[in-house]
Every structure is written in structure tokens, then in C-alpha cells.
Amino acid sequence: MLLTRQTLPKTIPDIAALDDLLCRPTQELIDGLNKVEGDIMILGVAGKMGPTLAGLAKAAAPQRRVIGVARFTDASVKHWLQARGIETINCDLLDEAAINTLPKAPNIVFMAGRKFGAEGDLSLTWAMNAHVPALVAQAFPSSRIVAFSTGCVYPFVPVNGTGSPEEMAPNPPGEYAQSCVGRERMFEYFSHKFGTPGRLFRLNYAIDMRYGVLHDIATKVLAGTPIDVSLGHVNFIWQGDASAQALRCLAHCTAPTSPINVSGHEILAVRDLAQKFGDRFGRAPVLTGKEEPTAWLTDTSQAVKLFGLPVVDTEQLIAWTADWVSRAMPSLGKPTKYEVRDGRY
């Protein structure tokens, strides 16, 4: 069954149903992948988004070879991928010789990176976020490369505006976000040098039932934990929509590579989101702090023009999240730390 607004479930009963939903393609994704030929290789496939992005790619193009590359320190991820017909290759992307043995796939989605714990070992953060991209860009000069980045490369912008456009110069706080600028610069440099087509996929806050801004807020409202609204405005997108847009970017690569902002098209107040969960849970949210006039927000009008609005809207995400959290369903235990303003993760 194809994914459409009309086929969305009212609730997501369990992880198996969640995985199936995240791996369900739209007709637009199928058509988009038909515009690009060749195998698809996903580097850093074992993170939060990687497995379902790989599963979505395989579901949308079942005749296509889809290859997932990672260290696979959690063997269950490897088995999950293989069960869906995705080939797996164990590879430490810090090892240049190992990268050079990988298949020269025409289509690459680069998802490797380091965020949480970044402050604990900054040299490793820079190595993963800037050195590894340089190694990959040199190893695949003739491939299309869609490289995951982050909206955190931008400075804070006024919450009463439209968010940062792609033309805004990166100028972020904190070494994590600075290292992400380094990642982009490496792909840019080698894209210029080799003529490599690509896209820099500046993603703001993907949402899955097991993690994300809404999961963080809902969990705190249900537990009566105070919610700091200092960084009081956010935008976010359903992980399935974000994965589909990343794959569709393969048909919209530019040479040299160029950025594209991906998130929800709405700027949402944390206070309002907390109240919506409070209404559903029958308890008032505990709010602290005062909204700052700026936040990390992106203007997604370019992505909307290319791909249309996300299939899953905010109200649906709130309903799914409230149901999931109220049933004490599994969490990845990885807060987004959306409220952090100094860039220290």
C-alpha cells in the first residue's frame, strides 16, 4: 500500500507497525527514484534514521540494489536491514583504506556524523563531521552525494520571521555546529574540484514515535517535569517525510553541491505544543523560563516547491505521539536537546 494522507493510521500500535509505516513509499518517491539510475549506498546507516531510510529506498525501488554501510556495533540493526533485502557492509568510515574498498555506487546518501556527546571528545567530533566527509568525497567523485547536515549551521533568527533561507551564511554557536559547517565545506570543496553533483540536506528535527521534539515535550508533560520555554519555537518533520525527501534529492542534485532546508513548514511555539499535550493528558504542563526572541528555525520554501508539503502534518504527529507516550511505549532515550542555546551537546 502506498503512503498517502488518506492511508495514514489513526494510531501506531507497536514498533513493527512504526517501522512498516516509516518504510512505506509515496508514488512521488517511486517516481523520483525512477529518474536516477544505479545502486543506492547509505553511509552511516546504523543511526536513528538510517535503517528506515534504507528500508524506504528498498520499498520504493525493490529492483534496485540498496547497500547499508556502518560499523554495526549493534548486530540487530544489520539483521533488520538484511531481512528487508538490504545488503550490509561493515566499515569504519574513519579508515580511508576501508572506504576505498566500498562499491562505487552512483547514488550515495551520507548519514555519518556525531552529535550527542560531541563536547566530550571534540577531536572525534571534528574527525567524524569534517574529516570523514573529505575522505568520502574523494572516494566517490563521480557519484551523486546527498549529505545529511543540520539546520544548526545557521545563526539564531527572529521567531516572528520565516526562518533561515539557504542563502544565509552559516554562523552557529558551539563546536558541534561548527564541525557541521566543516562537513558541508568538505563536500563543497571536493564537489567544486571533481564536479560531483550533490545536495547538503539541512534537516531540522526529525520526528519518530521513539524520539524527537514532540516525544521530549509529551514525556515531560505526562510526568509533570518542568519544560524550559527559553528556546520557545521549533520546526520539525515526520521522519518518513524527511527520509523520502532525502532520497528524492538524488534527482535534484546540483554541481557544485548546494544546500536545501528540510523540516516542517510551520514555526511552532513550544508553549502551545505543551498545552496540546496537556489537553490530551488532562494535566497542565509545567512551564519555566521566558521565550527568547530568536531560535534555530529554517525556511523550507525551496523543499516545499520541489516536494510539496509533508504527508504527515503537525496535528497527526501530536495525536500519534500522545497515544504512544501515554501507553509507555519504547523510547530511544535520546533527547533532542532542542532547548540548548549554546550549541554544547
Side-chain angles (χ1 to χ4, degrees):
M1 180 170 59
L2 293 175
L3 183 71
T4 68
R5 289 184 176 86
Q6 290 70 41
T7 61
L8 295 176
K10 290 186 177 180
T11 60
I12 303 173
D14 51 34
I15 288 177
L18 174 60
D19 286 343
D20 288 345
L21 182 62
L22 287 167
C23 294
R24 191 184 303 170
T26 61
Q27 186 62 53
E28 290 79 8
L29 173 57
I30 294 170
D31 295 343
L33 287 181
N34 283 337
K35 295 176 182 177
V36 295
E37 296 182 351
D39 302 336
I40 300 170
M41 186 161 67
I42 300 156
L43 303 180
V45 75
K48 294 196 298 289
M49 283 185 68
T52 53
L53 183 142
L56 181 62
K58 190 65 177 178
Q63 76 291 350
R64 199 85 62 98
R65 187 183 180 202
V66 178
I67 307 160
V69 177
R71 289 181 300 160
F72 293 114
T73 51
D74 180 355
S76 67
V77 176
K78 189 173 186 177
H79 298 149
W80 189 98
L81 292 166
Q82 291 172 343
R84 283 160 177 78
I86 298 150
E87 298 178 39
T88 58
I89 299 176
N90 284 64
C91 179
D92 182 351
L93 294 175
L94 284 165
D95 184 340
E96 183 175 5
I99 290 174
N100 289 328
T101 67
L102 293 172
K104 300 301 182 186
N107 303 292
I108 291 177
V109 180
F110 179 87
M111 305 185 77
R114 174 175 160 85
K115 177 180 180 180
F116 297 114
E119 289 288 319
D121 188 343
L122 287 168
S123 62
L124 177 59
T125 298
W126 279 92
M128 284 300 304
N129 292 350
H131 176 59
V132 169
L135 297 178
V136 168
Q138 292 173 91
F140 301 96
S142 301
S143 300
R144 301 178 193 89
I145 303 178
V146 174
F148 269 65
S149 185
T150 170
C152 296
V153 299
Y154 294 115
F156 290 116
V157 294
V159 300
N160 60 357
T162 58
S164 302
E166 286 86 354
E167 298 77 24
M168 179 175 284
N171 184 26
E175 282 202 50
Y176 159 70
Q178 291 165 14
S179 74
C180 294
V181 177
R183 173 200 292 138
E184 291 195 2
R185 296 304 188 213
M186 291 302 97
F187 280 117
E188 284 177 337
Y189 173 77
F190 289 106
S191 179
H192 277 281
K193 181 175 181 178
F194 300 128
T196 306
R199 278 291 192 160
L200 303 170
F201 193 79
R202 291 176 176 168
L203 175 63
N204 254 17
Y205 300 128
I207 297 288
D208 174 343
M209 295 303 95
R210 296 163 291 192
Y211 79 95
V213 173
L214 288 181
H215 186 280
D216 295 348
I217 295 171
T219 301
K220 289 180 178 180
V221 172
L222 189 62
T225 304
I227 297 171
D228 184 357
V229 297
S230 300
L231 200 153
H233 295 77
V234 292
N235 42 17
F236 50 75
I237 185 171
W238 170 239
Q239 181 179 303
D241 280 311
S243 297
Q245 290 192 21
L247 291 166
R248 290 178 69 185
C249 275
L250 290 167
H252 296 278
C253 289
T254 62
T257 191
S258 58
I260 182 168
N261 294 335
V262 175
S263 188
H265 65 291
E266 302 168 294
I267 293 175
L268 300 162
V270 171
R271 180 184 299 274
D272 294 342
L273 295 169
Q275 187 58 57
K276 286 178 182 291
F277 284 117
D279 293 343
R280 287 176 178 271
F281 296 148
R283 60 183 62 190
V286 181
L287 305 177
T288 63
K290 180 181 178 182
E291 286 91 345
E292 295 286 346
T294 60
W296 260 323
L297 301 164
T298 53
D299 180 343
T300 63
S301 55
Q302 184 184 155
V304 171
K305 184 177 179 180
L306 284 177
F307 308 126
L309 293 175
V311 175
V312 185
D313 63 22
T314 301
E315 290 305 315
Q316 182 67 78
L317 288 172
I318 290 171
W320 282 348
T321 303
D323 172 68
W324 188 272
V325 170
S326 68
R327 290 187 289 123
M329 294 298 286
S331 164
L332 295 182
K334 295 181 178 180
T336 55
K337 300 188 180 181
Y338 69 88
E339 67 273 27
V340 172
R341 289 187 67 90
D342 62 4
R344 297 179 182 274
Y345 293 98

